[in-house]
């Protein structure tokens, strides 16, 4: 009986492997009425031991102007495709609806070429550790610098 209990604890704890994933959420919104749109961004950050594994973002753009929505669709598609081509790790899907568009993006930092990303974007040096891994505190600071609030 004791062996069964010990084995169950061993299996449930992941064989001593700490696989606990911390989920952190950040949000921001912009009402640019002069330009004719609102933008709401929600970021879900998945991290383990202080290092970010991936971020899922949902960006919702609302506008009555078709040209503004077309601009955002083209801008987001082009930027995410180029980032994926250059560094890897990006997936993006954009869906248009009656009053706007929704862009859903996943950035898998574990499959990205982080060394090249940091080399090309020197400001990222402030947000990574000595192994070029994006830190949870770093990404929260980056999002806060863009006006987001994080839990």
């Amino acid at each position: 009986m004791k062996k069964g209990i010990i084995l169950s604890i061993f299996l449930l704890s992941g064989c001593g492997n700490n696989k606990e994933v911390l989920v952190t959420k950040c949000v921001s919104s912009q009402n640019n009425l002069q330009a004719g749109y609102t933008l709401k961004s929600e970021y879900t950050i998945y991290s383990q031991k202080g290092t970010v594994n991936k971020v899922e973002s949902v960006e919702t753009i609302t506008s009555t102007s078709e040209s503004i929505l077309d601009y955002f669709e083209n801008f987001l598609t082009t930027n995410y495709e180029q980032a994926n081509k250059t560094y890897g790790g990006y997936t993006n899907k954009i869906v248009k609806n009656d009053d706007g568009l929704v862009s859903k993006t996943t950035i898998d930092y574990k499959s990205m070429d982080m060394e090249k990303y940091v080399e090309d974007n020197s400001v990222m040096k402030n947000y990574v550790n000595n192994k070029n891994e994006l830190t949870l505190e770093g990404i929260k600071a980056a999002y806060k610098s863009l006006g987001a609030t994080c839990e």
Side-chain angles (χ1 to χ4, degrees):
M1 181 70 174
K2 280 187 180 179
K3 286 183 182 177
I5 292 172
I6 292 171
L7 181 58
S8 295
I9 292 170
F10 188 71
L11 291 173
L12 290 174
S13 67
C15 306
N17 215 354
N18 184 359
K19 294 193 176 196
E20 183 178 332
V21 175
L22 178 65
V23 178
T24 305
K25 296 201 180 267
C26 298
V27 296
S28 71
S29 61
Q30 300 174 15
N31 283 332
N32 194 332
L33 300 178
Q34 188 174 8
Y37 70 90
T38 61
L39 168 63
K40 180 179 180 187
S41 301
E42 299 175 1
Y43 308 100
T44 304
I45 306 163
Y46 297 89
S47 63
Q48 190 172 8
K49 295 182 180 180
T51 302
V52 176
N53 298 325
K54 73 176 177 177
V55 173
E56 294 174 343
S57 67
V58 178
E59 296 163 307
T60 305
I61 297 114
T62 306
S63 179
T64 56
S65 169
E66 194 66 30
S67 64
I68 289 173
L69 295 175
D70 289 344
Y71 167 80
F72 274 107
E73 181 178 26
N74 183 52
F75 176 81
L76 293 169
T77 300
T78 301
N79 281 302
Y80 287 128
E81 284 176 356
Q82 184 60 45
N84 189 55
K85 181 179 176 184
T86 306
Y87 309 111
Y90 286 80
T91 58
N92 176 255
K93 181 178 181 183
I94 296 176
V95 176
K96 272 187 155 178
N97 54 37
D98 290 340
D99 62 347
L101 63 89
V102 177
S103 172
K104 293 183 180 183
T105 306
T106 299
I107 305 172
D108 181 352
Y109 288 98
K110 296 300 180 188
S111 66
M112 276 182 72
D113 183 346
M114 285 299 292
E115 188 173 326
K116 181 169 178 40
Y117 186 69
V118 171
E119 182 180 305
D120 291 350
N121 301 280
S122 61
V123 72
M124 289 303 296
K125 290 178 184 173
N126 298 319
Y127 307 123
V128 298
N129 61 21
N130 58 358
K131 296 178 186 174
N132 281 333
E133 297 170 323
L134 185 60
T135 66
L136 178 59
E137 290 309 311
I139 198 165
K140 286 168 59 176
Y143 286 144
K144 286 178 183 179
S145 75
L146 298 172
T149 56
C150 298
E151 61 178 30

